[in-house]
Structures are given as C-alpha cells and as structure tokens.
Amino acid sequence: MGAGGRMSDPSEGKNILERVPIDPPFTLSDLKKAIPAHCFERSVIRSSYYVVHDLIVAYVFYFLANTYIPLLPTPFAYLAWPVYWFCQASILTGLWVIGHECGHHAFSDYQLIDDAVGFVLHSALYTPYFSWKYSHRNHHANTNSLDNDEVYIPKRKAKVAVYSKLLNNPPGRVFTLVFRLTLGFPLYLLTNISGKKYGRFANHFDPLSPIFTERERIQVVISDIGILAVLYATKLLVEAKGVAWVTSMYLIPVLGVHMFFVLITYLHHTHLSLPHYDSTEWNWIRGALSTIDRDFGFLNRVFHDVTHTHVLHHLISYIPHYHAKEARDAIKPVLGEFYKIDRTPIFKAMWREAKECIYIEPDEDSEHKGTYWYHKM
C-alpha cells in the first residue's frame, strides 16, 4: 500500500518530515473560491450508486467465500480466509466512509436521508451513528487543540506514562500498534481513551455523557438502539449458523473495518511535521491545516478517496467524496507549502510514527510557546 497515482504537489521532492508553517496567508473563503462550484453539489442518486455498488461487491465476496472456501482442502482454506477478510473489510470500510460522509451532510441535500443511510450503515458495522457523528463534529471544530480536540490528543513529555517508556523498543511498538489497531476504536467508544478529558467518565453510549449536549441525548439513545438491534440480529445469526460461521463471515471483517479506520485516522493525525496548539495559539484554520494526506495505493479508491483528501476534508467537510480529488487539486496552489501528502508505504509509515511520535513539546527558542511538535523518546 502506498503507491497510488502520483501528481505534482508541493510536498514532492521535499523532506516529508519538514514542519509545516503555522500562519496561513489565506482564508477559508479564499479556498472555497478556488474550488469549482459543482464540487459543492450533492446528488442523492450518485451517492446512492456508491452504496449499492459497495453492497453488491460485498455480497459477491460473501457468496464466493461462503460457497467455495468450505470446498477447498484445509491448507488452501487457511490461505483463502485471510484473503476474504481483507477484501471484505476493505469494501465494508468504503461503506463505513459513506456513513461518515452522511454524518457531515455530504450524502445528499436532505438531512433526513443522510441520517437514515448513515444510521443503517454505521449500526451494521457496530458504530453508534449519532453518537460518533457528534463527537466527530467536535473533533472537526477543534482539530489539534490540546484543550478541546476530541481524539488523538498527544501527551506532554512529563505526562508520558511509564508503560510507554517500557514499550519504547521494537517488540513494544509491535504490541502498541496491534493493541491500537484491534482495541483502539471500541475502547474509544466505550471509555473515550485518547480523547478529551472531561473530568468524569465519558463514553459514546451514555446519553448523559459530557461529550453530548442536551439536545443530542435522545439521538444517542437511538444510536444505542441501533447497536442493540444489530447485536440481537447477530445473536439470531449465531443460533442459526453457529459462532464460527458468523465470526468468519461477518465479525472478523467488521473488526477489519475498525482496524482500517484507526490506521487511517492515526496516520492522518500523527506526523512529525504537524503541530498541536494550546489555547494561546490555536485557531480553527491552524488546526484544520494540521493534518496530512496519505497514499494507500489501490485502496484509495476502495475507501472512496478519504485517505488522500483528508486535508480538504478538514477544511470543507461537506464536499462529497466523488468531488473531493478535484476540490483538493483546486486548492493545492492556494495552500502551497501548507499542504502535505506523505507517500511513504503505509506499513513503513505506521512503524515510523509509532517510533518517532511519542510526545509533544514546544521549541525552547520559539516565540510560539503554545505550539507543540512531536518528539521521539
């Protein structure tokens, strides 16, 4: 992964780890003016096409696996199942991305349709749609704010836990990455791990959680009902088909979706070139620019380009994915050196970030004492 189509951009030919500037000479209005008007148009028909397309592909993968893998000799079946899990998790991640797009009102011109589609897609993939929609909205409103961001808040050197120091070695990094990819998303939903500190316990299933406002609480309950309905359907499926069948055909691919989601977002928000800000330095556009695009190779298209249009997404989140590349390319001349895409192969990048991005501190000789950068241990 990480060898997708290349194009000319300001990051090509430069040290990708070179820090981005922090004071943009342009405004959000300047960026919007650079984007063709049709890129802001949302089509329920076109958006629905991608849902139907992904569902058909997912069904084909299911049919092939369910029909033919049991017929294979045991050694070949052991090889075939991981291939199915990867393929199915990849296409289901594309559906998850469309659900995420619904949460940004980028699916259609109708909020009710967006929420209905997003609710079904996310619930089926064990994600509480409304709860995550609202916490994710807060993330977009406070990106890279050390005081108010919702997720991927790095620690100061003095706050790095003892276990992080003990894991600062190759085996420890392997353990950390496996733990993050497999348990990171469910633990974030259940305990708000790596999220904003609210002074009391917070999670995505409690309607009284401090994550949510008063008017959002009823929709958190609706999200919980959606998850409970999928859990009940899973229970019925287990009774009909057995635990092994349900695990192999459905639960492992869903776990793969969660792993892909954590990997994508971790790499979007963890990079030596990206700053974080405390309340003395943060403003919205500084935070929105403090993200980076990544190249997942052929998976860029499978994931509906969410991987390499993330900078644009944080600046203007309601542009549909099928216009995102065009909009990204339109604003790149305006962004200049404020735009970065890291084409480092994904596994190499994942390892590098786990090794190098351990804690944040401001530069001692900088006038920007509220601007923090990643350092390694």
Side-chain angles (χ1 to χ4, degrees), residues 9 28 33 36 57 61 68 74 76 85 107-108 137 144 147 180 200 229 236 248-249 283 285 346 356 358:
D9 63 54
L28 180 60
K33 289 175 183 176
V57 174
F61 287 149
Y68 295 108
T74 300
F76 294 103
W85 294 332
F107 185 85
S108 76
R137 176 201 61 191
N144 281 31
D147 303 304
R180 175 180 284 123
R200 70 178 181 89
L236 295 180
S248 298
M249 299 303 302
N283 62 50
I285 196 164
I346 295 305
E356 304 286 340
I358 306 300

Side-chain angles (χ1 to χ4, degrees), residues 51-67:
V51 175
V52 173
H53 171 275
D54 286 0
L55 287 173
I56 290 173
V57 174
Y59 176 78
V60 170
F61 287 149
Y62 155 77
F63 175 80
L64 292 174
N66 190 50
T67 304

